[in-house]
Amino acid sequence: MSETTFNNQNEYLVEVKDLKKWFPVQTNFIDQIFAKQLEYVRAVDGVSFKIRRGEVLGLAGESGSGKTTIGRVTIGLEEKTDGEVYFDGMDLSALGREDLRKLRRRMQVIFQDPLASLNPRMSLGEAVMQGLKIHYPETSDQHRDIALEMMEKVGLTPARFYFNKFPHQISGGQRQRVVIARALITKPDLILADEPIAMADVSVRALLLDLMIQLKKEFNLTYLFITHDLATAKYICDQIGILYLGRIAEIGDLRDVYSLPLHPYTQALLAAVPVPDPHERRTKLMPRGEIPNPIHPPSGCRFHPRCPYAKEICSQEEPQLRELMPGHQVACHFAEDFMK
Ligand code: SF4
């Protein structure tokens, strides 16, 4: 397949439809013999969303909500159980191994832990050049210069000073800059940023976010931004999807969702965001207890055991995502009550 075939210029760079990712529960041999049927962790259980070219979609939720798994399946790092994933109009499951390998150049990842994602025995320069070696071996004589230029762009200056250093010789913030340079070196269209600043010192988090925003403009990037922190999402995201137990509770334009959250779970998450004013009082009820077991999710609305507004119907009927305002979808039987 030629490179031009991969450049369809669809309005939506990413389209995910009814995505499911279930992991079989590992049991011992005796349990397997007597088990009536296999059990599954329903990490992602019917999720749909689109990302416009050049936009940042944030996926937020507690640990166990399925956000990281969605990201990994969306860019082909994990196989889906069911559903459809389109990248630039192409159905990923219809592509052969070689086409997928070529496409990977356009989809890169910034992982949460830069120390774990960098080879401790590989110099920073080598790490940044890795993608070029894989996807552009024919231009090997230019790799060093391209890598130096990219290292300068992400703030590793002077790049020659850092090129031959190793991950343990630089700070955590600098390591994340190396990971960002490594992700951008193949000029991707989509970046999966999985909690990209969570491991960085508080003092450099804003700098890294500013860098990601600046690079997004310069390289016309689209981000799928995974976070548990709604304050961080507010800084960078255009759209936000709130996940609960493998499903989307609410999704829409970030300003709409933050100014008028229509799902009790979104309201609780936003109420938990720290505010600089010590006199501001919290008025929303926080959800009770822990996120339930994804092997046996609660009946009806998955949030009902923790929801302060739950009524009888909530444990019986699963609420579907409904568009209550343009582009603003909510999965709650009583979402209209929160619009008053
Ligand atoms: Fe709460 Fe019921 Fe809405 Fe679920 S459907 S969020 S339990 S009010």
Side-chain angles (χ1 to χ4, degrees):
M1 187 177 282
S2 72
E3 198 74 7
T4 49
T5 319
F6 282 148
N7 252 321
N8 297 331
Q9 290 294 313
N10 289 280
E11 178 187 1
Y12 293 101
L13 186 64
V14 176
E15 286 186 66
V16 169
K17 296 181 184 172
D18 202 19
L19 181 68
K20 291 183 181 153
K21 178 64 183 177
W22 293 9
F23 296 97
V25 176
Q26 300 293 329
T27 51
N28 62 40
F29 182 65
I30 302 293
D31 286 347
Q32 281 175 23
I33 291 173
F34 291 106
K36 291 193 182 73
Q37 60 186 53
L38 265 179
E39 291 195 307
Y40 293 90
V41 174
R42 302 176 187 195
V44 181
D45 204 15
V47 162
S48 303
F49 60 85
K50 297 177 181 180
I51 315 177
R52 273 199 188 80
R53 203 175 285 279
E55 265 189 353
V56 183
L57 170 69
L59 291 180
E62 290 166 288
S63 174
S65 61
K67 53 191 188 300
T68 290
T69 306
I70 292 172
R72 293 177 65 84
V73 176
T74 300
I75 67 161
L77 289 179
E78 298 256 9
E79 282 195 16
K80 61 185 165 59
T81 304
D82 202 2
E84 296 162 54
V85 179
Y86 295 88
F87 178 82
D88 212 358
M90 290 171 282
D91 181 352
L92 289 194
S93 60
L95 297 178
R97 185 186 290 249
E98 181 55 18
D99 286 339
L100 269 178
R101 193 192 67 78
K102 285 183 187 168
L103 200 59
R104 196 161 310 282
R105 178 189 73 70
R106 297 180 59 194
M107 299 186 280
Q108 294 289 329
V109 192
I110 300 170
F111 290 110
Q112 178 177 1
D113 183 356
L115 196 55
S117 66
L118 290 170
N119 182 338
R121 285 182 288 278
M122 188 181 276
S123 73
L124 307 180
E126 286 290 328
V128 172
M129 288 193 297
Q130 247 183 330
L132 294 175
K133 285 185 176 170
I134 294 168
H135 295 285
Y136 301 102
E138 67 282 2
T139 59
S140 59
D141 56 328
Q142 299 165 29
H143 288 179
R144 183 182 166 87
D145 289 343
I146 297 170
L148 284 168
E149 191 183 336
M150 186 57 77
M151 290 170 80
E152 292 276 348
K153 279 194 190 298
V154 301
L156 292 165
T157 52
R160 286 178 199 283
F161 172 79
Y162 290 99
F163 197 87
N164 292 316
K165 289 197 176 297
F166 288 84
H168 69 274
Q169 295 176 303
I170 59 174
S171 71
Q174 288 168 332
R175 278 194 287 270
Q176 198 57 305
R177 288 173 192 268
V178 175
V179 172
I180 292 171
R182 184 180 63 177
L184 294 188
I185 199 79
T186 60
K187 301 273 170 69
D189 298 295
L190 176 69
I191 295 283
L192 165 61
D194 188 357
E195 304 265 17
I197 61 163
M199 304 282 281
D201 284 348
V202 174
S203 57
V204 298
R205 286 182 187 175
L207 292 175
L208 287 171
L209 281 179
D210 282 342
L211 175 66
M212 288 184 67
I213 292 168
Q214 174 204 320
L215 293 169
K216 174 182 168 296
K217 285 186 197 140
E218 183 169 350
F219 293 100
N220 194 24
L221 297 167
T222 303
Y223 288 145
L224 176 52
F225 192 90
I226 310 291
T227 184
H228 67 278
D229 177 7
L230 292 192
T232 302
K234 187 178 182 183
Y235 204 78
I236 190 168
C237 297
D238 302 300
Q239 305 277 324
I240 187 80
I242 306 295
L243 288 158
Y244 188 77
L245 211 57
R247 299 198 61 135
I248 290 178
E250 183 161 7
I251 190 166
D253 184 279
L254 182 129
R255 283 164 303 184
D256 296 341
V257 173
Y258 277 46
S259 60
L260 187 58
L262 296 175
H263 194 287
Y265 182 54
T266 313
Q267 293 166 5
L269 290 182
L270 284 170
V273 174
V275 287
D277 182 355
H279 302 295
E280 185 163 317
R281 285 182 166 270
R282 303 279 182 212
T283 52
K284 295 281 190 299
L285 294 170
M286 294 300 294
R288 306 169 291 222
E290 301 286 319
I291 198 163
N293 185 342
I295 301 172
H296 303 291
S299 61
C301 173
R302 294 174 181 214
F303 189 55
H304 87 259
R306 303 174 72 191
C307 181
Y309 307 103
K311 297 190 174 67
E312 197 176 345
I313 188 179
C314 300
S315 60
Q316 295 163 358
E317 280 183 32
E318 180 155 24
Q320 301 302 312
L321 267 182
R322 296 177 293 136
E323 187 167 21
L324 296 189
M325 288 186 286
H328 189 165
Q329 300 178 67
V330 191
C332 171
H333 292 306
F334 302 104
E336 283 86 347
D337 292 354
F338 303 113
M339 296 173 75
K340 293 168 190 163

